[in-house]
């Protein structure tokens, strides 16, 4: 399950290669402010460190893309200058389809930022979206020829995301019964004093919960009660606020008696029952679904592949595998929005997930998972590389599914 962390912009997760999704193509280069007076200038050719031709364009009140009148194909940079008195977003798009080739977010007044894109034959225009004002689109610039353009994506809106979110929420609800049954078996083993059976029951119960990764934000405080760690707890594993799966894990693998574990096991069962009872009234935020698809494995890298959530069971790799299942589940509901021109890198993402799954499955021997600390260095490096590659691809899903303002 995803652990809380400092929020960051969805689009800020992206890097600039064409291997990533459409609007991701330029996000990572939006980091600098030009020196000098920042005034828009006419188009000029190569001569910069990157060797790319550059065009300075301007936005102001009622004007967008001023300074760009003649287009040419190929990789190039637009230095976008905000001459208005407020911040704005500026997109370069196909005015017919609305497909976005690049974007500058949060462009402050009086500043410029570079926007790198690859343009082919077609029609293009800048669209300016000032804060607290209506959007407006500048003049269309046509590029002749048949050169291929870089990636572009038609923005996803809130209504697009509602059906997959409702379907995913139903999928989570369908898992609640299994979760309650597995936790009940764990509680019964602890109540009966059979700690060997409890250790056997612990992992299957925990993995059911870990597969629900995209719903963590909707679980609210229940997530910390059910799957919290000792992070931020002054007394560590002795802190009374340390509850749930990891509290029981610590006790089972550190010699605590059944008497000490009955209370935590009973509380876990109650917390799961309460979560299950309240789930039909819960409402997931559709705008968050694409971000969650990325964050599940991002947090796997941060917490599971570092062993930070191991309280004795040595099951981090099993949890990573369950997180991968959870990623595939949410991705399955988003797939209709991603198939085709909106996200042509989908087959590449599927390949990355397959490689990560194959690697993780190699650490499972008949239900007995290799502890993270027992991996050889090459095994550890391969696991990190394969899951990291999948995380990089999933960042593009977060970007494509980011609900963008269009008016």
């Amino acid at each position: 399950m995803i652990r809380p962390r400092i929020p960051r912009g969805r689009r800020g997760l992206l890097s600039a290669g064409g291997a990533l999704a459409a609007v991701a193509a330029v996000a990572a280069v939006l980091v600098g402010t030009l020196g000098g007076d920042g005034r828009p200038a006419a188009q000029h050719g190569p001569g910069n460190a990157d060797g790319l031709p550059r065009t300075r364009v301007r936005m102001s009140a009622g004007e967008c893309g001023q300074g760009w009148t003649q287009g040419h194909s190929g990789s190039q940079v637009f230095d976008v200058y905000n001459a208005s008195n407020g911040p704005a977003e500026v997109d370069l798009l196909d005015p017919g389809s609305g497909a976005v080739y690049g974007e500058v977010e949060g462009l402050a007044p009086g500043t410029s930022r570079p926007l790198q894109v690859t343009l082919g034959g077609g029609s293009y225009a800048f669209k300016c979206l000032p804060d607290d004002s209506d959007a407006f689109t500048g003049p269309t610039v046509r590029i002749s020829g048949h050169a291929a353009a870089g990636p572009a994506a038609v923005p996803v809106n809130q209504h697009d995301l509602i059906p997959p979110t409702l379907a995913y929420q139903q999928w989570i609800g369908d898992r609640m019964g299994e979760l309650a049954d597995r936790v009940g078996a764990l509680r019964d083993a602890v109540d009966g004093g059979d700690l060997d059976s409890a250790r056997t029951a612990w992992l299957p119960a925990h993995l059911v919960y870990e597969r629900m990764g995209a719903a963590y934000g909707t679980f609210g405080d229940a997530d910390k009660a059910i799957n919290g760690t000792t992070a931020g707890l002054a007394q560590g594993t002795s802190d009374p606020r340390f509850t749930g799966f990891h509290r029981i894990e610590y006790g089972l693998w550190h010699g605590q008696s059944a008497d000490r574990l009955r209370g935590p096991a009973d509380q876990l069962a109650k917390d799961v029952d309460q979560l299950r009872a309240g789930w039909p009234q819960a409402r997931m935020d559709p705008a968050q679904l694409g971000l969650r698809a990325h964050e599940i494995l991002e947090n796997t890298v941060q917490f599971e592949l570092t062993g930070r959530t191991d309280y004795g069971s040595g099951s981090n790799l099993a949890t990573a595998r369950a997180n991968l299942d959870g990623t595939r589940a949410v991705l399955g509901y988003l797939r209709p929005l991603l198939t085709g021109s909106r996200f042509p890198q989908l087959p590449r993402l599927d390949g990355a997930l397959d490689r990560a799954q194959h690697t993780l499955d190699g650490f499972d021997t008949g239900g007995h998972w290799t502890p993270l600390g027992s991996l050889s260095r090459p095994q550890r490096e391969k696991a990190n590389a394969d899951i990291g590659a999948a995380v990089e691809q999933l960042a593009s899903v977060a970007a494509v599914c980011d609900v963008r303002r269009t008016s």
Side-chain angles (χ1 to χ4, degrees):
M1 188 61 60
I2 298 172
R3 272 63 182 187
R5 59 182 176 81
I6 298 173
R8 59 183 176 179
R10 281 162 279 176
R11 304 179 207 181
L13 300 171
L14 307 170
S15 64
L20 297 185
V23 293
V26 297
V29 301
L30 309 182
V31 294
T33 299
L34 297 181
D37 60 12
R39 294 175 184 170
Q43 178 175 311
H44 56 89
N48 307 285
D50 56 16
L52 297 176
R54 304 181 82 101
T55 304
R56 290 188 183 179
V57 298
R58 168 191 175 105
M59 74 147 293
S60 60
E63 294 182 326
C64 188
Q66 183 183 13
W68 188 41
T69 58
Q70 294 181 344
H72 60 89
S73 61
S75 295
Q76 53 198 285
V77 176
F78 291 95
D79 293 323
V80 184
Y81 174 67
N82 183 358
S84 72
N85 58 7
E89 176 181 326
V90 180
D91 295 344
L92 179 61
L93 49 73
D94 178 337
S97 68
V100 177
Y101 287 85
E103 63 186 2
V104 179
E105 284 188 282
L107 183 62
T111 64
S112 297
R113 285 187 184 173
L115 178 65
Q116 182 178 334
V117 292
T118 299
L119 303 183
S123 297
Y124 304 90
F126 280 97
K127 185 171 189 176
C128 296
L129 302 98
D131 284 10
D132 302 321
S133 298
D134 292 338
F136 53 95
T137 302
T140 297
V141 174
R142 293 175 175 83
I143 298 176
S144 60
H146 303 286
V154 177
V156 170
N157 61 47
Q158 187 90 353
H159 294 292
D160 293 331
L161 289 167
I162 289 174
T165 302
L166 292 175
Y168 179 75
Q169 187 166 337
Q170 180 61 52
W171 183 86
I172 291 290
D174 292 343
R175 309 276 83 73
M176 291 288 185
E178 181 184 4
L179 176 63
D181 290 344
R182 295 283 191 179
V183 169
L186 171 62
R187 177 199 56 203
D188 291 346
V190 172
D191 284 349
D194 187 350
L195 298 188
D196 286 338
S197 295
R199 279 185 284 270
T200 299
W202 182 87
L203 184 58
H206 187 231
L207 296 185
V208 173
Y209 189 79
E210 288 287 345
R211 293 186 184 102
M212 300 178 178
Y216 85 97
T218 312
F219 287 167
D221 293 341
D223 182 48
K224 184 171 181 59
I226 292 171
N227 206 40
T229 67
T230 55
L233 301 183
Q235 300 177 53
T237 56
S238 299
D239 199 295
R241 294 171 294 173
F242 181 37
T243 62
F245 279 113
H246 291 301
R247 167 64 184 90
I248 297 169
E249 177 189 9
Y250 179 81
L252 288 173
W253 275 273
H254 286 84
Q256 292 186 352
S257 67
D259 286 342
R260 291 191 63 182
L261 291 174
R262 286 190 180 99
D266 287 344
Q267 186 60 52
L268 174 60
K270 291 177 182 177
D271 289 335
V272 167
D273 286 343
Q274 184 175 1
L275 176 64
R276 182 185 184 187
W279 187 248
Q281 287 75 48
R283 294 294 180 267
M284 294 186 65
D285 180 0
Q288 297 292 308
L289 199 61
L291 179 62
R292 302 297 179 238
H294 171 261
E295 284 185 333
I296 296 171
L297 283 191
E298 185 184 42
N299 281 269
T300 300
V301 171
Q302 184 178 1
F303 294 100
E304 305 306 331
L305 296 189
T306 60
R308 290 169 62 181
T309 54
D310 181 16
Y311 287 87
S313 67
S315 61
N316 286 117
L317 293 172
T319 300
R321 180 64 175 82
N323 293 162
L324 185 60
D325 287 341
T327 298
R328 287 190 185 276
V330 67
L331 191 62
Y333 291 103
L334 290 171
R335 189 171 292 272
L337 295 179
L338 301 174
T339 302
S341 60
R342 181 174 273 143
F343 186 49
Q345 293 81 16
L346 186 56
R348 184 177 178 183
L349 169 57
D350 288 335
L353 294 173
D354 288 344
R355 286 189 293 274
Q357 179 173 328
H358 179 75
T359 297
L360 290 172
D361 285 345
F363 304 131
D364 175 17
T365 306
H368 298 283
W369 287 82
T370 304
L372 192 65
S374 298
L375 297 183
S376 66
R377 181 171 180 175
Q379 287 176 318
R380 189 77 170 260
E381 289 175 346
K382 181 165 178 54
N384 289 340
D386 288 347
I387 297 178
V391 170
E392 181 181 7
Q393 294 293 315
L394 287 162
S396 301
V397 173
V400 170
C401 293
D402 185 16
V403 176
R404 282 170 167 77
R405 180 183 163 195
T406 58
S407 62

